[in-house]
Amino acid sequence: MITRFFVAGFKPFGAQGKTVELAPLTIFVGPNGSGKTSLMEAMALLAQSASWSQGGLRWGRGQLVDPVWAELPEPPACLHRGSFGQILRLGACLQIPAAPSPSPLSVEYVVEHRLHDRGKGDWVHAISLTPGVHARRVHRLAQQAFGTASWTDKLEIQGVDLRPSGSADRVFGPETFMSAQVDPNVRAQYDGILAALEAGRRFCQERFSYIGPERGPSRIDRNTEGKPPRTVGKRGEATVRVLSRLFSSEGQSAAAGTVQKWAHKFGLASLHAGWSGGKELACDFRDGATDTVVSFDMAGFGSVQLLPVIVELFASTPPCTILVEEPEISLHPQAVAELPLMFADAVQGGRQVIVATHSDGLLADLHRIVGAGFPATKIKVVHFRRQGDDVEIKDLPISKDGLVEGWVPSFCDAEDRSAKEWLDKVGGSVP
């Protein structure tokens, strides 16, 4: 899982940067435009760049990146203040399974990139392992003139200077820290760093997914051809294909049953998917009112848009990290009250869930999962608010009973304004 993430120089996040501590269940909340999606996109940018076999940050627009979690304009458009010369810095602390050791590997990785106005740039990669192993590679533009450029390149492990070789810009790439000649005094640390980088790359490639808010029946791919996808995709486009794989695999019966359980709670009883002849996969459910089997895209929009989220939560292989934006879209408050229980079920299965929401009901019902035995210490609520040219990020305390203490500041502002306007109309007053 991702225990901490750092971002600077990206969209609303200024040069000083912001660090967010993450829990097994983390909920981002705040006004529109406050930075919630931007932080998720920063995480997605790091993950999809690590999945790329070549160097550099992969912006996902017009590039052969698979999967694409963030489709961003090329710099400088997505840099803070939209100008060249800004330093973009992305950092993540990962806890990764490290067989045969029973303890997870703790890897803290930071990449920073300064792009100059002629398309050349500086790269800095830093990695720390627990306990006490550090390395740093600095690749800086020394001079640039008449279409040519030269760089200085330095690699340091445990304070020992090594001669760097290989790529200087590969995100989570072991070759970023490779050396032509390794000092015997740091050989063990060197080997550990390369192994950690490979583990980080594999985590980003195989254990990270992002479900965005643009999802619905029109985006679903039912093609029977091609390799079964690992995830439902950012727009839920591969939902039926993942479901079909789930229902056709004997070893996935427990996961299929859990998907059916939660789909039923959100209006899709007896959900099933698979090949039924022809070149398209079928996906249907039983309508309780008429006791009729119908295609899933005949369900209400709220149920259909939530299906990719349900499938990703329980078809994914733990341990993994799943980002979800606005799961409450078009859901009735009674259905929203079930969302914390579903997220807790996924977390108890070994998954990390990070949610961005505007739903006061979702937050108000966190006490339900705590009351059912889910530890309040595994929940974080993080409030975002724009402060001038930057973003204010603040953890909101959770009581031992699962209540957001003091409530959500931006919700309070909206509720106070609505109450005042309502009371003014009926002749009352706000104390």
Side-chain angles (χ1 to χ4, degrees), residues 104-367:
L105 178 67
S106 181
V107 182
E108 185 157 10
Y109 178 84
V110 178
V111 57
E112 66 178 52
H113 180 43
R114 185 199 298 267
L115 186 66
H116 300 287
D117 59 1
R118 294 188 186 181
K120 306 294 183 182
D122 305 331
W123 291 92
V124 178
H125 300 259
I127 187 169
S128 300
L129 310 184
T130 303
V133 178
H134 309 282
R136 184 176 176 87
R137 177 152 184 196
V138 180
H139 185 85
R140 296 197 188 282
L141 183 67
Q143 60 183 11
Q144 182 177 201
F146 307 111
T148 62
S150 63
W151 284 269
T152 60
D153 202 357
K154 181 178 180 181
L155 172 62
E156 181 184 275
I157 296 178
Q158 298 296 95
V160 177
D161 290 334
L162 304 176
R163 185 189 308 167
S165 62
S167 170
D169 60 355
R170 171 86 185 275
V171 175
F172 268 112
E175 64 269 32
T176 305
F177 286 86
M178 284 185 178
S179 173
Q181 185 174 359
V182 181
D183 189 307
N185 294 322
V186 295
R187 182 79 222 191
Q189 293 90 338
Y190 174 81
D191 292 341
I193 285 165
L194 299 192
L197 285 162
E198 176 60 16
R201 183 194 67 80
R202 289 180 65 87
F203 177 88
C204 292
Q205 188 173 35
E206 301 172 4
R207 307 282 178 162
F208 177 94
S209 56
Y210 181 8
I211 314 298
E214 300 176 41
R215 52 189 187 266
S218 63
R219 300 187 179 276
I220 301 295
D221 173 19
R222 305 188 190 204
N223 199 319
T224 60
E225 299 176 354
K227 181 181 177 181
R230 177 181 71 85
T231 81
V232 302
K234 186 177 180 182
R235 294 175 176 82
E237 60 272 19
T239 298
V240 172
R241 297 183 68 195
V242 173
L243 265 177
S244 299
R245 183 196 71 204
L246 209 61
F247 283 113
S248 64
S249 302
E250 291 184 6
Q252 296 291 320
S253 59
T258 305
V259 168
Q260 286 181 318
K261 177 188 76 173
W262 285 107
H264 190 171
K265 285 183 178 293
F266 293 100
L268 301 173
S270 303
L271 182 72
H272 192 270
W275 183 72
S276 60
K279 294 184 177 181
E280 288 196 346
L281 298 166
C283 181
D284 51 49
F285 71 102
R286 183 172 294 277
D287 178 60
T290 62
D291 196 30
T292 305
V293 175
V294 294
S295 175
F296 89 105
D297 47 13
M298 293 178 64
F301 180 78
S303 300
V304 174
Q305 69 81 24
L306 189 63
L307 184 59
V309 177
I310 298 171
V311 175
E312 190 65 30
L313 287 176
F314 300 104
S316 58
T317 301
C320 58
T321 295
I322 303 168
L323 276 55
V324 182
E325 279 197 84
E326 299 180 41
E328 72 276 7
I329 297 171
S330 291
L331 292 184
H332 187 275
Q334 287 180 335
V336 171
E338 297 290 336
L339 290 175
L341 297 171
M342 183 174 71
F343 295 143
D345 193 4
V347 170
Q348 288 171 327
R351 301 165 180 90
Q352 179 183 32
V353 182
I354 301 172
V355 179
T357 185
H358 294 288
S359 172
D360 55 352
L362 193 160
L363 292 170
D365 282 309
L366 288 174
H367 72 92

